[in-house]
Amino acid sequence: MTDIADQITEEVTETKGSYSYRADGAVAEMTYSRAGANLIIIDHTEVPDAFRGQGVGVALVTRAVSDARLRGHKILPLCPFAAAQFRRHPEWSDVLNG
């Protein structure tokens, strides 16, 4: 998963953002909305079949958690996949909003 994590990029606008992983012509993406200065809402995660079972989706959420810690942000995971990952990773509770 380290190789995947190293290749994840982030794009940010004033109100939205995304984390993406690209390889072999396929793109996995997790999108979020900014709600105030210190809260991001993960609203969608999409991983193409080409990446299934490789930990790409988890790597996207893990990157968001890491960045939230560095930036002092909280995360509200409305996306079902991201919410499930937060349930599986209680060590992420420090950045969980709510």
Side-chain angles (χ1 to χ4, degrees), residues 49-50 68 77:
D49 289 339

Side-chain angles (χ1 to χ4, degrees), residues 16-97:
K16 297 195 176 289
S18 66
Y19 290 95
S20 301
Y21 171 75
R22 292 173 168 78
D24 301 323
V27 179
E29 182 176 59
M30 184 188 70
T31 60
Y32 63 86
S33 298
R34 297 178 55 88
N38 297 319
L39 177 65
I40 67 167
I41 301 168
I42 297 176
D43 49 34
H44 183 70
T45 304
E46 185 168 341
V47 177
D49 289 339
F51 296 147
R52 299 237 188 248
Q54 298 178 34
V56 173
V58 176
L60 293 170
V61 180
T62 301
R63 170 68 185 273
V65 168
S66 176
D67 286 353
R69 284 183 177 139
L70 289 172
R71 298 169 183 165
H73 293 172
K74 294 288 185 178
I75 297 174
L76 178 59
L78 294 184
C79 162
F81 177 81
Q85 293 309 310
F86 269 87
R87 286 190 299 274
R88 290 184 183 121
H89 295 274
E91 69 274 17
W92 294 350
S93 65
D94 60 313
V95 297
L96 182 61
N97 186 65

